[in-house]
Amino acid sequence: MEKYASEQIEDMLAKKQEQGDLQRSEDCMHKDIVKCFLEGKAHKYVCMECGFADSSRAAFFSYPQSDQEMG
């Protein structure tokens, strides 16, 4: 997993947005996740394909069968 400063992430996402390269978050598979640091501390995870950000890496994964009953 790549690691970047918050400012670097913002710049890279802004360039992708200008070029029209950002995917819709709803359609994204979140395969290119990077770890973002702010003032030397882990801050959040960011998907570089769509720009979705969350402090928990687990937020990038969905488990469609998890709502089905067992048995």
Side-chain angles (χ1 to χ4, degrees):
M1 177 184 308
E2 299 290 327
K3 299 176 183 179
Y4 296 97
S6 288
E7 298 83 27
Q8 291 175 299
I9 297 286
E10 291 171 8
D11 292 342
M12 289 188 286
L13 289 175
K15 286 180 185 176
K16 281 190 167 197
Q17 176 122 21
E18 287 174 10
Q19 297 170 351
D21 289 340
L22 281 181
Q23 298 180 18
R24 290 182 32 183
S25 184
E26 299 83 23
D27 299 333
C28 187
M29 298 296 291
H30 305 305
K31 292 183 180 181
D32 187 13
I33 300 171
V34 298
K35 195 171 195 175
C36 178
F37 287 82
L38 182 63
E39 299 175 1
K41 296 180 181 176
H43 178 61
K44 60 185 172 184
Y45 296 92
V46 179
C47 176
M48 295 305 293
E49 296 174 348
C50 69
F52 177 73
D54 198 284
S55 60
S56 171
R57 183 166 163 75
F60 292 90
F61 306 102
S62 65
Y63 304 96
Q65 283 77 27
S66 65
D67 60 345
Q68 294 179 356
E69 291 184 23
M70 298 292 284

